[in-house]
Amino acid sequence: GNSVTQMEGPVTLSEEAFLTINCTYTATGYPSLFWYVQYPGEGLQLLLKATKADDKGSNKGFEATYRKETTSFHLEKGSVQVSDSAVYFCARLTGGGNKLTFGTGTQLKVEL
Amino acid sequence: EAEVAQSPRYKITEKSQAVAFWCDPISGHATLYWYRQILGQGPELLVQFQDESVVDDSQLPKDRFSAERLKGVDSTLKIQPAELGDSAMYLCASQGSLTGNTEAFFGQGTRLTVV
């Protein structure tokens, strides 16, 4: 089926450390892929997206590359900050109605 | 800045009672979604509207859940009767167009606790 699998958390890093959150998807074809971020007590915000293979989405220092050969869309950031502490969701479009299918979320904690 | 408005932010209700949530999408957005997010999981779609019509309600537990968007603008999600397992965050999102991969904007959600 159409699903999204992301690494379990929580991920705890020191400030300025390198971040990778893995995400893989199952699909037929090449769905649009997204990373959403959810800060404590808030709704989801789109962080970045990629709509076709080999696209790289980037925003606020975060990057993710759509890799069709490994069906992956890993999220990376070179130097995390305490303010990046949040839950990160990988998602894909499913079906013709633009429904989003989300992964289970990865909590990131960044400490001083 | 335009945003999706949801109310209430928090709701505590006893099981078997009725509860309702309200969502006002970004002005002009034809597509509206209700998602349910159980603690520790990703959001799951309950219902999708295009204007006032339901496009997808395949995951909506229709024996107790109902959703409407009568004038194609704001929307109400109702649960009657509420069960303990309905405790979750209910998120509303809206989207301007289904073409061109436009972004879906989410509200802050309603956190429901059923006791």
Side-chain angles (χ1 to χ4, degrees), chain A residues 29-48:
Chain A
Y30 304 106
S32 294
L33 300 173
F34 305 81
W35 277 100
Y36 279 82
V37 58
Q38 187 174 33
Y39 297 102
E42 298 187 11
L44 277 70
Q45 300 174 25
L46 179 65
L47 182 59
L48 53 84

Side-chain angles (χ1 to χ4, degrees), chain B residues 101-114:
Chain B
N101 290 310
T102 56
E103 176 183 353
F105 292 85
F106 283 80
Q108 292 188 302
T110 296
R111 180 167 294 283
L112 173 67
T113 302
V114 182

Side-chain angles (χ1 to χ4, degrees), chain B residues 43-110:
Chain B
E44 294 181 326
L45 181 70
L46 290 174
V47 61
Q48 177 185 349
F49 289 92
Q50 183 66 22
D51 298 311
E52 68 277 7
S53 300
V54 173
V55 173
D56 183 351
D57 63 356
S58 57
Q59 300 303 309
L60 187 71
K62 299 181 186 63
D63 57 335
R64 297 184 301 107
F65 285 65
S66 64
E68 60 183 19
R69 194 183 183 199
L70 294 176
K71 297 182 179 179
V73 181
D74 57 337
S75 175
T76 302
L77 178 69
K78 297 179 181 178
I79 308 175
Q80 183 175 19
E83 296 180 352
L84 295 177
D86 297 331
S87 295
M89 175 80 86
Y90 291 83
L91 295 165
C92 180
S94 72
Q95 190 170 15
S97 170
L98 289 181
T99 61
N101 290 310
T102 56
E103 176 183 353
F105 292 85
F106 283 80
Q108 292 188 302
T110 296

Side-chain angles (χ1 to χ4, degrees), chain B residues 13-24:
Chain B
T13 191
E14 294 182 346
K15 63 181 181 180
S16 79
Q17 295 299 303
V19 63
F21 316 127
W22 177 79
C23 172
D24 190 12

